[in-house]
Amino acid sequence: MKTSKFKCMVGAVPITAIILSGQATFGQAVPVVNPSFESPSTGLYTAGAAGSSAITGWTIGGGGDAGVWNVAGSSSIIAGAADGLQIGYINPLGLTTVSQTLTSDLQSDSTYTLSIDVTGRADGENPGTGYSVGLYAGGDLLASVTPETPGYGTWTDLSATFTSGTVAPGEPLTIEISDWTAGGQLDFDNVTLTDPVGAGTLPDGGMTAMLLAGSLGALGWFRRKI
């Protein structure tokens, strides 16, 4: 019976370790409005120039137009959406942008990962690598993805990572998607931003104490039962 008690004691500690490691690695999503371009809902597409509301939650800038495209039934031209039914697009005239200033400010000692999916058209109206996707804070570029030529029929996930040091408060985060290739439509979907190291992802002292107490309590319960 002593051997059984020892096994329970050994088993209780890894449970806490697993919980703590899980707390340390879970990413925390930074809220992005309309990240998969499902709004406004449309049977075909919306299009708007600078200042229009063609993409809910996003601001269009520059000389071209942009909007959302319901690609259901358009497989001969473009792949189905990476997430949902609709995607975002930019038809540039000079530098044309789609951007969103988030409700979250840049935090100190945090690592951010910006991700976006891009795809290409079958008719060749693609931007090549003449586009950019960047994360900004207070107007300063923090990180941008390395662009790849979008391919027809597939989605390519692009990402960029930025780790902050000590930062001043009140610097709002902004995501900006830009295209400047004449005749080259940029098609994109599923924009996400995560903060895997920032506040709220690692257990504080109180949480750690609760986890340890729970494991020790479970240990005591097993000891009494054996």
Side-chain angles (χ1 to χ4, degrees):
M1 301 302 288
K2 291 182 179 179
T3 301
S4 298
K5 291 179 182 178
F6 177 75
K7 288 181 178 178
C8 288
M9 291 176 67
V10 173
V13 175
I15 291 174
T16 303
I18 291 171
I19 294 173
L20 289 174
S21 65
Q23 288 283 331
T25 56
F26 286 161
Q28 177 178 344
V30 178
V32 177
V33 176
N34 197 20
S36 295
F37 307 99
E38 298 301 299
S39 180
S41 178
T42 177
L44 189 54
Y45 65 88
T46 66
S52 81
S53 57
I55 309 177
T56 302
W58 296 82
T59 300
I60 301 170
D65 63 78
V68 302
W69 180 7
N70 188 327
V71 294
S74 300
S75 59
S76 62
I77 303 175
I78 195 166
D83 184 39
L85 299 175
Q86 301 183 168
I87 67 173
Y89 73 88
I90 295 175
N91 284 325
L93 181 59
L95 177 65
T96 305
T97 63
V98 169
S99 63
Q100 181 178 149
T101 297
L102 310 181
T103 57
S104 300
D105 291 346
L106 178 64
Q107 301 297 310
S108 298
D109 304 316
S110 297
T111 298
Y112 293 90
T113 300
L114 172 66
S115 297
I116 189 172
D117 295 332
V118 297
T119 193
R121 293 171 54 114
D123 56 13
E125 292 187 13
N126 299 327
T129 57
Y131 65 94
S132 68
V133 183
L135 176 66
Y136 296 76
D140 296 323
L141 178 64
L142 305 181
S144 61
V145 306
T146 300
E148 297 182 19
T149 300
Y152 165 66
T154 62
W155 285 94
T156 300
D157 179 67
L158 305 176
S159 63
T161 300
F162 172 78
T163 300
S164 64
T166 301
V167 301
E171 295 187 6
L173 293 167
T174 297
I175 298 171
E176 182 176 279
I177 306 164
S178 305
D179 184 8
W180 55 85
T181 304
Q185 184 184 88
L186 177 63
D187 298 292
F188 47 89
D189 201 5
N190 198 27
V191 180
T192 62
L193 181 64
T194 59
D195 173 12
V197 181
T201 59
L202 294 175
D204 59 19
M207 178 60 73
T208 303
M210 288 175 61
L211 292 171
L212 291 173
S215 294
L216 292 174
L219 172 61
W221 185 84
F222 279 119
R223 288 174 59 90
R224 289 194 298 272
K225 287 292 183 179
I226 297 174

